Amino acid sequence: MQFSENLRIGIKSILVHKLRSFLTTLGVIFGVAAVISMLSIGEGAKREAVEQIKLLGTNNIRVNQLKLTGEQAEEAEQKNSRGLTYRDGQLIRENLPSVKGVTPVRFVETEIMLGNKESNGRVVGTDETYQWVTNFHPSEGRFIGALDVAEAKRVCVIGSEIRSELFGYRNPVGRRIRIGDTWFVVIGVMEAKTVKEGKASVIKLRNINKDVYIPITTALKRYTDEDRPNAVEEIAIQVEKEDQVVPTSEVVKRLLNRTHNGVNDYEIIIPAELLAQSQKTQRVFNIVMGSIAAISLLVGGIGIMNIMLASVTERTKEIGTRRALGATERDILGQFLNETIMISVTGGTIGIILGVVMAKAINLFAGWETVISLFSVVISFGISALVGIVFGIYPARQAAKMDPIAALRFE
Amino acid sequence: MLVEVKELRREYVMGETVVKALRGVSLNVEKGEFLAIMGPSGSGKSTLMHLLGCLDRPSGGTYSLDGTPVEKLDDVELSRLRNRKVGFVFQAFNLIMQLTVVENVEVPLIYMGIERAQRRELCLEMLKAVGLGHRPNHRPNELSGGENQRVAIARALVTKPQIIFADEPTGNLDTKTGHEIMEILQGLNAKGTTVVLVTHEMNKAKWARRLIHMQDGKILRQLVGKEIQQLKDLFQEMPEA
C-alpha cells in the first residue's frame, strides 16, 4: 500500500479522537520542548564562555600580579621579590623569542578630565603590542606606537565609551585631556567591543570600552608607585599557535619563579585552559539536563505506547475487517506505526516551537543567554521520530499479528 | 471449477485439547453457483467459510481457488488473493465507523493499489448499483441497518470478485430488509457472481440452488433445487444456532 494512503488513514484516525490524540502528543511536546530549551541554555552558556575567553585570546597567556596578604607580603619582602614588573616582561621577551608578543599592562588610579567633565574610566599603561595581543584595535586615529613608548610621550588612546562620555559627537583626535596632573593628546579612539557580564562568567572582565591607554613608560615615569617603581599588574603573552600555550606557560613559570625568588606573588592564567575547563563543566551540566529532558521524552513515549495499545484493542474489529478486505500484515503494521510516528513527529514539531519560545522566555526573564542550534532542532526532531518508531513498533506488531478470524469475531 | 476442496481439515489447539473443527470436507463449487451452507453452531460452517475465503489455512487437505493452491500461500499472497478474488459480507456489516460510506467501499481498492480518483469513481458507481448513490458522504451510524449492509455489499463487489461469501448477512436485519438484501444477492448471482451463503435460517437458505448441510465438521448431506424447497420438515430436528 502506498505511503500516502497510510498517511491519510493515520490523519483520519488521529482526528477522530482529537482530545485523546492531543493529550498523547502533549508528552512528546513537553519532552522535546525540554530538550530544546535545556540544550539552548547549555549552548548559550558555552557561547558566552567562548566569547569571553576569546576576548582574552585563546593564544594568550596572562600573568597577573596577585594581591598579597600580610603574611605573603612579608615573605615577598624577605625573599626580595618585587612582584610583577616591567622588567619581567622584557625578560620573557628576551628569553622566549618564539612568542609573538609580550604586553605589559599597568593600571593607574587617577582621574580623567576634559575641562570640568570627569570620566570614571581606567587609565592603562601599555605598549604598542597591546592591540595585536588582545585583538583590540583603534577605529579612529592610531594606537600607541613604539616611538611613543621609547620616548615616554604624553599621548593617549581612549575607549569608545570614554569618547562619548567626554566628547559626545565631536572628534577627539588631536584634543587634549588631563589624566591626573598631566595633559595628554588623544591620538586615537578604540573600536567598541561588547563585553558581556553574563551569568556564566568564567573570568571577571573589566569594561575595556572605558579604558584610556597611555604608553607604559609614561605610566611608570609619571605615576610612580614608590614601593614598587616598575610594577605592572599584568603581562599578556601571545604565542603563534594554540598548542604552544601550555609549554610556553611552563617556561614563563620557571622564569618568573627565578626572578621572583620562588615567591608566588603572581598567577598564570591560560584562557584556553579556562575554556576547556568551562566546557568540561558545561558538558556535565548538559548531560544532566539532557538526561532529565530525555526522561520526560521517554515518559511521553510510554504514554503514546499505552494509548496505541488501547487503540489497537479498540480497533480489533477494524483490523479484522481490513485483513478480510485484503490488507497484509505489513499493511496493518504500517498503518499503526505510521499513526504513532505522526503523533510523535507532530508533537516534536510543536515541541520545537514551544522549546524555542521557552528559550526566548528564559533569556528574557532570567537573563541567561540561550542559543538554539540547528543541531538541537535536528536531534529533537530525530528523537521524537525515533520515539514514535520505538514505542509504536510493539502496538503495531500486536495489531499486525492479530488472527483475522478472531479479530472479526471480536465484539 | 472455481472452488476445489479435497479432504479439508482444520484443527485448533486449545490448551491441551485439540479441537477438530473440520474433519475432512470435499466440495466443488462451479462459477455462477448460489450455494448455502447450513448447520448448527459448532458444525464447522464458519470454519469452512473462513478457509474458503482465504482468511485461514487448512491443517490438512487441499484447496484451490480459481486454479490457485491456497494451502501453499504465505500471508502476502493469501491477502492478495482475498483482495482480488473474494468478497465478504458480514452479519454485523463490519463497516469502519470513522470512514464515510464511499471511503468504506474504497478500502479494498486501496489495498489493491488503485489510484484515488479512479477508486472514487468505481465506488460511486457501485453505490449507485446498490441504491445508495445519493448518500456517499454519510457515516455508517447515520444509515439504517439495511443501508449499512448495502454499503458492505458494495464494498464486497467493488473489486469484481469471483466469489462472494455472505456470513449470516440478514442476521441483524428485520424480515423486510433481510428480504431486500437476499434479492440483491440473488440479482448478483443472476449476473454471474458466485455466492456462498452461510446461514442457519431455513427461509434464507431456500434462496440458494444448492445446499450443504454440515454437522460435526463434516458434510452431512447436499440438497439441490426442489429438495431445498421441501426442507421445512427435514430440518425441524436441527437446533437453532
Side-chain angles (χ1 to χ4, degrees), chain A residues 7-312:
Chain A
L7 212 66
R8 206 170 287 134
I9 294 172
I11 291 170
K12 260 219 150 84
S13 46
I14 286 170
L15 290 182
V16 166
H17 304 285
K18 287 191 191 71
L19 182 64
R20 187 163 88 180
S21 305
F22 172 70
L23 291 176
T24 313
T25 317
L26 221 51
V28 181
I29 293 178
F30 285 132
V32 168
V35 169
I36 290 270
S37 49
M38 290 300 163
L39 288 180
S40 80
I41 292 172
E43 190 65 27
K46 183 172 144 196
R47 190 163 297 182
E48 201 169 276
V50 169
E51 261 174 35
Q52 279 190 332
I53 285 154
K54 274 207 179 130
L55 223 52
L56 293 174
T58 45
N59 283 6
N60 287 0
I61 301 164
R62 300 261 170 155
V63 185
N64 285 343
Q65 170 69 38
L66 285 179
K67 282 214 161 59
L68 300 180
T69 59
E71 220 170 284
Q72 288 169 319
E74 226 167 79
E75 194 202 346
E77 213 175 298
Q78 269 175 14
K79 293 194 175 170
N80 199 22
S81 169
R82 290 174 158 187
L84 214 54
T85 62
Y86 185 47
R87 180 75 197 126
D88 285 332
Q90 286 172 320
L91 264 176
I92 293 168
R93 199 176 297 170
E94 284 159 17
N95 284 289
L96 287 162
S98 65
V99 301
K100 216 168 140 194
V102 177
T103 306
V105 173
R106 162 137 204 227
F107 299 123
V108 178
E109 300 291 335
T110 185
E111 78 262 19
I112 304 158
M113 306 285 291
L114 175 74
N116 293 327
K117 267 191 258 176
E118 186 178 346
S119 163
N120 59 351
R122 170 168 232 166
V123 181
V124 180
T126 187
D127 68 11
E128 71 279 6
T129 57
Y130 181 88
Q131 57 170 333
W132 311 116
V133 170
T134 54
N135 192 28
F136 184 37
H137 304 278
S139 59
E140 290 170 50
R142 62 173 180 90
F143 199 71
I144 296 162
L147 198 68
D148 301 322
V149 176
E151 296 182 359
K153 281 192 177 166
R154 284 174 294 159
V155 291
C156 68
V157 182
I158 60 175
S160 58
E161 280 183 36
I162 300 278
R163 179 237 171 105
S164 46
E165 242 177 61
L166 294 182
F167 294 95
Y169 291 105
R170 284 173 296 160
N171 182 11
V173 177
R175 313 227 351 193
R176 301 206 307 168
I177 58 170
R178 188 161 63 78
I179 299 173
D181 299 330
T182 316
W183 290 92
F184 282 76
V185 177
V186 179
I187 54 168
V189 180
M190 298 307 278
E191 63 195 340
K193 260 215 171 154
T194 347
V195 181
K196 282 210 185 103
E197 289 163 77
K199 296 262 155 100
S201 298
V202 182
I203 306 160
K204 195 84 197 133
L205 290 172
R206 67 173 197 271
N207 184 358
I208 50 174
N209 294 317
K210 287 196 147 193
D211 280 354
V212 174
Y213 301 102
I214 60 172
I216 177 82
T217 43
T218 316
L220 292 171
K221 201 168 106 190
R222 297 199 175 259
Y223 309 95
T224 317
D225 183 340
E226 296 299 337
D227 298 332
R228 298 173 54 217
N230 264 323
V232 293
E233 266 76 25
E234 195 180 301
I235 299 171
I237 304 159
Q238 190 177 39
V239 296
E240 202 78 51
K241 283 184 196 140
E242 218 176 304
D243 56 6
Q244 293 172 347
V245 167
V246 176
T248 307
S249 76
E250 295 293 327
V251 178
V252 168
K253 194 170 185 172
R254 256 179 281 152
L255 199 69
L256 291 180
N257 199 35
R258 208 163 55 221
T259 62
H260 290 228
N261 300 322
V263 181
N264 271 329
D265 48 6
Y266 58 89
E267 61 172 353
I268 297 178
I269 295 170
I270 304 168
E273 275 194 352
L274 284 178
L275 183 62
Q277 184 62 45
S278 90
Q279 277 173 353
K280 213 167 154 189
T281 325
Q282 199 54 55
R283 210 170 299 136
V284 174
F285 174 83
N286 281 352
I287 289 169
V288 172
M289 288 315 208
S291 307
I292 294 170
I295 288 168
S296 64
L297 205 54
L298 185 78
V299 172
I302 294 169
I304 292 185
M305 184 151 133
N306 197 13
I307 288 297
M308 287 314 288
L309 282 172
S311 172
V312 167

